[in-house]
Amino acid sequence: MAIPTKQQPARKATPATPYASRAAQKHTTERTLEKETPQQFPLARRNFILMIVAGLFIVVGFLLMLGGGTTPEKFNPDIFSTRRVVIGPTLAFIGFVAMGVAVIVRPKSKKSE
């Protein structure tokens, strides 16, 4: 066995059972976390802004669909209004599609020279 240097730490003797060696490896190996650069992030600021806008579309669409319903005593013709049947669901659908697009859109990459 070679003499360990500062770059090469000394190895401990491995136990006979494989399970004990795994436990020993957990305690002897050191791991460090490396901070990602902004270019390595999967989503950029633009993606988050698009996601917020899409979320607002979804919320507004559902709010436009809200309203009172028909009771057994009285019929409410407002349940068939254009706002509740067409505009609200369309805005919510556009919001869901925009949310998918916001996640898929790649962030702009800066060219390094």
Side-chain angles (χ1 to χ4, degrees):
M1 186 166 148
I3 299 173
T5 62
K6 288 184 179 179
Q7 288 84 16
Q8 178 187 10
R11 282 199 229 163
K12 294 183 179 180
T14 56
T17 61
Y19 297 110
S21 66
R22 286 184 191 157
Q25 286 176 357
K26 281 185 181 179
H27 295 293
T28 59
T29 58
E30 293 182 26
R31 295 185 184 184
T32 58
L33 295 176
E34 295 179 15
K35 199 169 189 179
E36 291 182 344
T37 62
Q39 290 82 15
Q40 293 174 324
F41 291 158
L43 298 175
R45 181 178 177 167
R46 183 175 124 193
N47 296 86
F48 288 112
I49 291 171
L50 291 173
M51 289 167 58
I52 290 170
V53 170
L56 289 175
F57 266 84
I58 294 169
V59 169
V60 169
F62 276 98
L63 289 175
L64 289 175
M65 288 187 272
L66 285 177
T70 300
T71 61
E73 293 83 29
K74 185 178 178 189
F75 175 73
N76 184 1
D78 192 40
I79 62 172
F80 298 113
S81 70
T82 305
R83 175 183 60 92
R84 292 172 76 176
V85 176
V86 178
I87 298 172
T90 304
L91 277 178
F93 179 74
I94 289 171
F96 283 116
V97 171
M99 186 67 75
V101 170
V103 172
I104 292 173
V105 168
R106 290 188 182 188
K108 292 180 181 178
S109 61
K110 296 180 182 178
K111 293 182 181 179
S112 60
E113 296 179 8

